[in-house]
């Protein structure tokens, strides 16, 4: 990568729909899934802020809804 190019990241999420950033080019850890969004740290964080509106884990949301 060119030194003037900003570091690229992926948006990843786990099975509980909790989001995080991961450095592009590194294998995504077990239990996490690439959400198809790649960009600078700021771009990825902005995406997470838009989509992760309920911070409760999926299992808790399902339990409370049922």
């Amino acid at each position: 990568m060119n030194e003037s190019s900003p570091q690229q990241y992926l948006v990843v999420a786990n099975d509980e729909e909790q989001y995080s950033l991961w450095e592009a080019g590194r294998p995504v850890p077990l239990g996490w899934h690439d959400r198809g969004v790649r960009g600078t740290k700021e771009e990825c964080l902005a995406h997470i802020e838009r989509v992760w509106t309920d911070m409760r884990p999926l299992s808790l949301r399902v339990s409370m809804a049922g």
Side-chain angles (χ1 to χ4, degrees):
M1 179 183 340
N2 182 334
E3 288 203 25
S4 64
S5 298
Q7 173 67 44
Q8 293 287 294
Y9 292 86
L10 305 173
V11 174
V12 296
N14 63 21
D15 292 337
E16 288 287 343
E17 296 183 354
Q18 296 167 310
Y19 286 79
S20 189
L21 299 180
W22 194 251
E23 282 186 28
R26 294 182 60 199
V28 176
L30 291 176
W32 292 85
H33 313 284
D34 183 347
R35 300 301 289 211
V37 176
R38 180 184 181 130
T40 65
K41 186 174 187 176
E42 293 76 18
E43 291 166 337
C44 290
L45 288 173
H47 175 78
I48 290 171
E49 188 173 328
R50 282 191 306 276
V51 300
W52 194 14
T53 58
D54 188 341
M55 298 264 206
R56 296 174 298 164
L58 177 61
S59 57
L60 178 60
R61 295 191 318 261
V62 169
S63 173
M64 292 178 76

